[in-house]
Amino acid sequence: MKVTLISIPVRDQEKALNFYTEILGFIKKKDLPLGGGNRWLTLVSAEWQDGPEILLEPAPNHFKPSKVFQDALMDAGYPYTQFDVKNVDAEYDRLTKLNVEFSMKPTKMETVKVAIFNDTCGNNIQLVEKL
C-alpha cells in the first residue's frame, strides 16, 4: 500500500491553483472538468513529479462538515497538512518576499524546524525541515 494522492480543501480552485503553482512552485498534473464549475485538479512537486498528487478539493463549497472542519483548524491555528523542505529559513525568506503570511516563523522543535503559513484558500500549511 502507498499514498498516491492527498486532498487539500480549497474554497476557490483557480485561486488555489495560482497560489500553489506560482507561489509554492508545484506543477499542475491533471485538470479535468467535473461539472458545476468543479475540476479534478491535481498538482505534483517539481522536485518529485512521480510522487503523490495533491488534489485541490472544492469540498468546503459543497459539504458543510468540510467547511466546519477547515474553519475550526484555521481558528485554532492548526495546519491542515505539512510539506517537507530542505531549508525552512530559506523557504520562509522566499515566501515572505512573495507576501505569504506566516502565523509561525521558523521554530526549532527537537529534531525538526517548522513554520506555518496561510495558503489563502482556507488552510494553514506547515513547512518542516528535518535537522
Side-chain angles (χ1 to χ4, degrees), residues 82-95:
Q82 76 175 36
F83 300 141
D84 288 0
V85 296
K86 293 177 184 170
N87 184 317
V88 166
D89 292 312
E91 281 299 312
Y92 174 82
D93 290 343
R94 182 181 79 79
L95 294 173

Side-chain angles (χ1 to χ4, degrees), residues 16-27:
L17 175 62
N18 290 335
F19 182 83
Y20 278 78
T21 57
E22 294 174 18
I23 303 295
L24 298 183
F26 287 93
I27 297 171

Side-chain angles (χ1 to χ4, degrees), residues 53-64:
E53 295 177 49
I54 296 171
L55 173 63
L56 298 177
E57 174 69 57
N61 297 330
H62 310 288
F63 186 58
K64 185 168 178 141

Side-chain angles (χ1 to χ4, degrees), residues 24-83:
L24 298 183
F26 287 93
I27 297 171
K28 181 168 62 171
K29 184 159 186 175
K30 295 177 185 144
D31 190 353
L32 307 169
L34 294 176
N38 298 309
R39 298 145 67 182
W40 183 262
L41 183 56
T42 69
L43 312 172
V44 292
S45 168
E47 299 170 19
W48 191 16
Q49 293 183 34
D50 293 327
E53 295 177 49
I54 296 171
L55 173 63
L56 298 177
E57 174 69 57
N61 297 330
H62 310 288
F63 186 58
K64 185 168 178 141
S66 178
K67 182 179 184 310
V68 169
F69 180 65
Q70 187 184 38
D71 287 344
L73 287 177
M74 281 297 287
D75 291 344
Y78 281 36
Y80 185 83
T81 194
Q82 76 175 36
F83 300 141

